[in-house]
Amino acid sequence: MARYAILMLLVTSITHSQMSFMGSPDEIEIAGLEYGYLPELGNTELRTFKANINLAKPIGKSIIGFGLSYQNFGFSFDEATNVIDLDGYGNMHAIRANLSFIRPLGNSWAVVASVGPSLMSNFGDGISSEDLVFNVLAATTKRWGDSDRNTMIMVGLIYGAQFGEPRVFPALSLRQKLNPHWSYSVGLPVTGLNYRINDRHRISVLASPEGLFANNSNPVAVEGNRSLSDTKLLFNGLNTRLAYTYRFTKFLAFSVEGGFIPISNLRILDNENQDIYDFEPDSGAYFKAGLKLVLNRKQRIETIKESNDEN
């Protein structure tokens, strides 16, 4: 078999805090569309739309991957304040790209690295360096077992906006596939329990951080007859959810999830990242639905092994 480029998800956008090889052990998402609605987070309503694509190619014993995603955040603030004009924060965009590298080290050890920029802004006055946030992952993984029953650990560091303002935090995770039906993961960036009913149906209970650190590039009026530029909208929370995936063709799956955000943070910061206004959001429930292009992980791993063996 001649070597050829394959499509597979290696590391999703690190900013979104999902790494598929530490999530579901059965499926690889290579593209997706998703709509989300959070009707009430205190006095704020939030609608989101996301599109993503992920590509990868084996090069020797290593794998190089590229991911690109776009996400729109539509905030509706149902409150009035004289502290700051809220109009410029209602429509925020997040464009994320990342280049990933996986290198086996022997004895089922591997090095995982990913780096990429994110543009998070309302883009009201063009694009500037204030819109830019870098995302970095550096980790090692260790795997035991075969495709039907296995364990994987990951130890490393992540830099990104999963908790709002960009920061470094540990990437510590344990994933275990117990049998063809049950698997789980514990740690960061995602904790969850998966039940694969059959080839078409899967149910998951998941928890992970999710954040946004978006720049308002328009000058805004604040109390005291002042005007500030490059203020930030900071949003982050613990995202807990029950998800159901229905694979209605070999490569296409429909997903729906209902979630609850028990802990959240929604604030406006000045250009020195000091608080201007705190929305003091409450907990809130949300709904998401999406369409995904997926591949079987076992088949893709076997394809890579065959390609490497013959070359």
Side-chain angles (χ1 to χ4, degrees), residues 9-281:
L9 177 65
L10 296 174
V11 183
T12 64
S13 178
I14 300 302
T15 328
H16 194 59
S17 180
Q18 298 288 338
M19 299 176 59
S20 85
F21 60 85
M22 295 306 297
S24 169
D26 300 311
E27 289 182 349
I28 298 167
E29 180 186 337
I30 60 174
L33 296 171
E34 182 184 80
Y35 171 80
Y37 177 54
L38 197 161
E40 187 175 357
L41 191 65
N43 293 319
T44 302
E45 178 184 290
L46 174 61
R47 298 177 187 269
T48 62
F49 171 79
K50 183 183 178 183
N52 68 281
I53 186 169
N54 302 274
L55 310 174
K57 178 181 175 66
I59 300 178
K61 294 183 179 181
S62 303
I63 302 175
I64 302 295
F66 174 75
L68 181 66
S69 71
Y70 167 76
Q71 192 169 10
N72 177 262
F73 295 80
F75 292 91
S76 297
F77 306 112
D78 187 20
E79 62 181 87
T81 175
N82 295 323
V83 175
I84 190 169
D85 183 0
L86 299 177
D87 290 343
Y89 304 94
N91 190 28
M92 291 295 187
H93 311 270
I95 302 172
R96 305 177 175 103
N98 71 283
L99 183 66
S100 304
F101 175 78
I102 297 179
R103 174 70 178 182
L105 299 177
N107 296 321
S108 298
W109 284 92
V111 172
V112 180
S114 181
V115 61
S118 295
L119 292 173
M120 299 184 182
S121 176
N122 65 349
F123 299 130
D125 194 25
I127 298 175
S128 73
S129 60
E130 293 291 335
D131 304 328
L132 185 63
V133 175
F134 274 95
N135 310 285
V136 180
L137 163 73
T140 59
T141 66
K142 169 69 173 177
R143 187 176 183 272
W144 298 267
D146 55 29
S147 60
D148 293 324
R149 183 170 182 174
N150 57 70
T151 301
M152 180 183 287
I153 61 169
M154 179 182 67
V155 179
L157 294 174
I158 293 177
Y159 176 82
Q162 289 88 341
F163 292 96
E165 187 174 348
R167 67 181 64 180
V168 176
F169 62 95
L172 300 173
S173 189
L174 165 69
R175 191 203 72 195
Q176 193 166 44
K177 184 176 180 180
L178 303 174
N179 54 51
H181 297 285
W182 288 97
S183 64
Y184 71 90
S185 60
V186 178
L188 285 173
V190 59
T191 293
L193 177 66
N194 303 295
Y195 178 60
R196 180 175 174 268
I197 301 172
N198 52 42
D199 289 341
R200 291 185 176 271
H201 305 275
R202 188 178 77 246
I203 298 174
S204 303
V205 179
L206 303 165
S208 60
E210 184 170 358
L212 176 71
F213 188 70
N215 183 50
N216 182 353
S217 57
N218 296 116
V220 294
V222 297
E223 61 180 350
N225 295 321
R226 296 182 299 143
S227 179
L228 296 178
S229 59
D230 294 320
T231 55
K232 303 294 191 295
L233 179 68
L234 182 151
F235 169 68
N236 69 286
L238 177 62
N239 184 350
T240 63
R241 59 220 183 258
L242 174 65
Y244 166 72
T245 300
Y246 171 58
R247 194 164 176 173
F248 56 91
T249 73
K250 185 176 181 180
F251 299 113
L252 289 175
F254 171 75
S255 65
V256 61
E257 64 182 58
F260 185 73
I261 300 178
I263 303 171
S264 62
N265 190 11
L266 183 60
R267 294 180 286 142
I268 295 175
L269 311 179
D270 63 18
N271 53 13
E272 296 182 352
N273 293 340
Q274 299 299 312
D275 283 3
I276 298 175
Y277 188 75
D278 190 343
F279 291 89
E280 298 182 353

